[in-house]
C-alpha cells in the first residue's frame, strides 16, 4: 500500500478517493478510508535525525479529510515538517509501551516461577538496565539501589560498556558509590534527572573505584535519574554515551523518556527489593542452623573453617572467602579465585 511506499521512499503521498477507492492504496487502506467517507488522503513519513546524523523513519501518519478539496503543496510541506517534529516522540512512546509490557509480563512470570527472591531481584534489575540503555540509545546502563541508612548507592545490575570491546574497571554488581558520588549520587541528592555533559570535567564527584581510570577514558556523557516510590528515593539508574561527535549529549526529550521509565521501573524494583529483604533473614537463619548442626559433628579446626566458609558464601552469594587467625595466617581459603579483597 501507500504506507509501505512512503516508508521505503521517505516521500509524502497524496490523492483523492472515489467511490471505488484508489488503486494506489492497499485493500486494507481503501476499506478503512472509504468506510470513514474520506475524499482526500495524505500520507507523510515520521522521520528524524539520529545520533550519528543518519535519517531514521519511525513510521507514517495518515491525514484525511471528508472534503473534496485537494491538499496544496504548502499543506504537504507543513505536514511533512510536523511529521519530523513528532517522529522522535512517536518512537519513544512506542518503545516505552513495549518496555512496560515486557516488564509486566516478566513480573507476572516471576510471581509464579518459585525462584528465590534474590534471583528475582537480579533478573528485574538486569532487565531494567538493558531496556533503559536501549530506549535511551546509550552504551551503558546501570541500576543502583539506595541504602537509606548510609546514603550510599549499591550497584544491582549493569548492561553494556562505556567503551565496547575494551576492558576497563566498571561499576559491577555489589560495588558501592559513596553518598553524593558519581552522576547517580548527584541525581539522588537533587531528586531529579542529572546530566553530566563530560563525566571527567569535574561536574560530578568521581567515585574512588573509578578515580584512576576516568582520566584515561575518552570523553563521555552520562545521565542519571532517581527511582522514587511516593516521596522516597529507592535507587537510581545511570546511562552513558561516548561523545564521538556533536549532538550526542542527552536532550530534553531524553529526560522526558527517562522520567517515564523511572515511574514504571521504581515500583517494580521496590517490590523485588522488599521480597529479597524479607527472604534474606529467613535464609540466613536456615543457613546458620545448618552450620550449627554441622559444627557439632566435628571439632577439627579445618572442618569448622570449611563449613564456616561455605555457609558464609551461601549467605552473601559470595565468590570467594578466606579465614585468618589472630596472627594473620590463612587457616582456610575457598579454592575459587577470590578477586579483589
Amino acid at each position: 500500500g501507500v504506507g509501505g511506499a512512503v516508508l521505503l521512499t521517505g516521500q509524502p503521498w497524496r490523492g483523492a478517493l472515489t467511490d471505488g477507492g484508489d488503486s494506489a492504496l492497499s485493500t486494507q487502506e481503501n476499506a478503512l478510508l472509504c468506510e470513514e467517507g474520506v475524499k482526500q488522503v495524505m500520507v507523510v513519513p515520521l522521520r528524524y535525525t539520529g545520533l550519528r546524523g543518519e535519517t531514521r523513519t519511525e513510521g507514517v501518519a495518515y491525514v484525511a479529510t471528508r472534503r473534496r478539496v485537494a491538499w496544496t503543496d504548502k499543506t504537504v510541506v507543513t505536514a511533512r515538517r510536523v511529521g519530523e517534529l513528532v517522529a522522535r516522540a512517536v518512537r519513544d512512546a512506542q518503545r516505552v509501551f513495549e518496555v512496560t509490557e515486557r516488564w509486566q509480563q516478566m513480573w507476572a512470570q516471576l510471581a509464579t516461577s518459585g525462584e528465590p527472591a534474590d534471583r528475582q531481584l537480579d533478573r528485574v534489575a538486569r532487565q531494567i538496565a538493558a531496556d533503559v540503555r536501549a530506549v535511551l540509545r546509550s552504551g551503558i546502563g546501570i541500576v543502583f539501589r539506595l541504602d537509606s541508612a548510609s546514603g550510599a548507592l549499591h550497584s544491582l545490575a549493569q548492561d553494556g560498556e562505556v567503551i565496547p570491546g575494551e576492558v576497563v574497571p566498571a561499576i559491577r554488581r555489589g560495588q558501592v558509590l559513596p553518598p553524593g558520588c558519581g552522576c547517580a549520587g548527584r541525581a539522588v541528592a537533587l531528586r531529579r534527572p542529572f546530566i553530566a555533559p563530560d563525566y571527567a570535567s569535574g561536574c560530578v564527584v568521581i567515585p574512588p573505584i573509578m578515580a584512576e581510570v576516568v582520566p584515561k577514558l575518552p570523553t563521555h556523557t552520562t545521565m542519571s535519574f532517581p527511582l522514587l516510590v511516593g516521596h522516597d528515593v529507592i535507587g537510581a539508574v545511570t546511562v552513558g554515551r561516548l561523545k564521538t561527535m556533536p549532538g550526542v549529549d542527552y536532550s530534553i526529550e531524553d529526560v522526558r523518556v527517562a522520567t517515564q521509565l523511572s515511574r514504571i521501573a521504581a515500583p517494580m524494583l521496590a517490590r523485588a527489593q522488599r521480597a529479597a529483604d524479607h527472604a534474606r533473614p529467613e535464609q540466613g537463619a536456615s543457613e546458620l542452623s545448618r552450620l550449627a548442626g554441622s559444627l557439632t559433628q566435628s571439632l577439627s579446626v579445618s572442618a569448622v573453617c570449611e563449613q564456616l566458609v561455605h555457609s558464609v558464601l551461601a549467605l552473601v552469594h559470595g565468590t570467594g572467602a578466606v579465614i585468618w587467625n589472630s596472627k594473620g595466617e590463612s587457616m582456610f581459603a575457598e579454592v575459587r579465585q577470590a578477586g579483589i579483597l
Side-chain angles (χ1 to χ4, degrees):
V2 168
V6 172
L7 280 175
L8 285 175
T9 64
Q11 299 300 317
W13 179 92
R14 57 180 164 170
L17 272 70
T18 63
D19 292 339
D22 188 295
S23 59
L25 297 168
S26 69
T27 303
Q28 291 84 356
E29 288 171 324
N30 267 316
L32 172 64
L33 296 170
C34 290
E35 182 181 341
E36 293 294 332
V38 168
K39 303 303 180 186
Q40 295 284 336
V41 63
M42 174 170 48
V43 184
V44 294
L46 306 180
R47 313 183 85 196
Y48 74 99
T49 303
L51 290 177
R52 297 176 177 84
E54 78 283 9
T55 301
R56 301 172 62 96
T57 302
E58 293 295 340
V60 294
Y62 289 77
V63 188
T65 178
R66 295 184 178 90
R67 297 182 302 164
R68 296 186 182 279
V69 180
W71 304 107
T72 65
D73 292 341
K74 183 178 180 181
T75 302
V76 173
V77 171
T78 301
R80 185 169 188 169
R81 189 178 302 120
V82 171
E84 293 170 352
L85 290 174
V86 303
R88 171 71 192 277
V90 169
R91 168 229 183 238
D92 290 340
Q94 177 65 25
R95 295 200 175 181
V96 169
F97 173 76
E98 291 170 352
V99 164
T100 303
E101 282 202 324
R102 183 157 56 247
W103 289 353
Q104 289 175 345
Q105 291 171 2
M106 178 187 64
W107 187 256
Q109 292 171 357
L110 289 176
T112 58
S113 67
E115 280 190 67
D118 275 339
R119 290 186 185 176
Q120 291 190 17
L121 176 61
D122 286 345
R123 286 186 57 185
V124 168
R126 286 200 304 269
Q127 193 68 56
I128 291 174
D131 286 336
V132 168
R133 182 178 79 87
V135 173
L136 291 171
R137 299 177 295 167
S138 302
I140 193 170
I142 310 172
V143 176
F144 298 94
R145 72 170 179 85
L146 177 68
D147 179 61
S148 56
S150 67
L153 288 166
H154 297 246
S155 173
L156 290 178
Q158 173 181 314
D159 186 77
E161 298 175 323
V162 176
I163 309 176
E166 293 194 24
V167 179
V168 296
I171 306 295
R172 300 298 180 188
R173 185 188 186 283
Q175 291 182 322
V176 179
L177 292 181
C181 279
C183 194
R186 189 79 174 128
V188 167
L190 296 172
R191 299 176 64 88
R192 59 176 171 79
F194 178 79
I195 297 173
D198 180 355
Y199 190 85
S201 66
C203 59
V204 297
V205 178
I206 304 298
I209 59 174
M210 298 292 289
E212 291 186 12
V213 71
V214 165
K216 304 174 186 177
L217 294 176
T219 304
H220 61 285
T221 178
T222 57
M223 174 174 64
S224 295
F225 51 93
L227 298 173
L228 291 96
V229 176
H231 296 290
D232 299 325
V233 179
I234 66 158
V237 178
T238 294
V239 290
R241 299 171 180 162
L242 283 181
K243 296 187 69 169
T244 54
M245 61 183 69
V248 174
D249 287 312
Y250 291 99
S251 63
I252 295 297
E253 289 80 9
D254 292 316
V255 172
R256 175 177 52 80
V257 174
T259 302
Q260 289 178 309
L261 291 171
S262 68
R263 291 179 186 142
I264 307 165
M268 184 174 65
L269 188 67
R271 288 197 299 268
Q273 183 68 55
R274 282 196 299 269
D277 290 344
H278 178 74
R280 200 166 290 122
E282 295 181 358
Q283 179 192 2
S286 176
E287 190 62 39
L288 290 173
S289 176
R290 285 197 295 269
L291 174 61
S294 67
L295 295 183
T296 62
Q297 300 171 14
S298 173
L299 296 179
S300 70
V301 173
S302 60
V304 169
C305 289
E306 182 176 359
Q307 290 292 340
L308 177 59
V309 162
H310 291 163
S311 295
V312 168
L313 289 178
L315 275 173
V316 302
H317 302 289
T319 58
V322 181
I323 295 178
W324 287 278
N325 63 18
S326 59
K327 298 178 181 179
E329 300 166 338
S330 175
M331 300 176 64
F332 184 87
E334 170 64 16
V335 294
R336 285 174 289 177
Q337 182 63 37
I340 299 175
L341 298 178

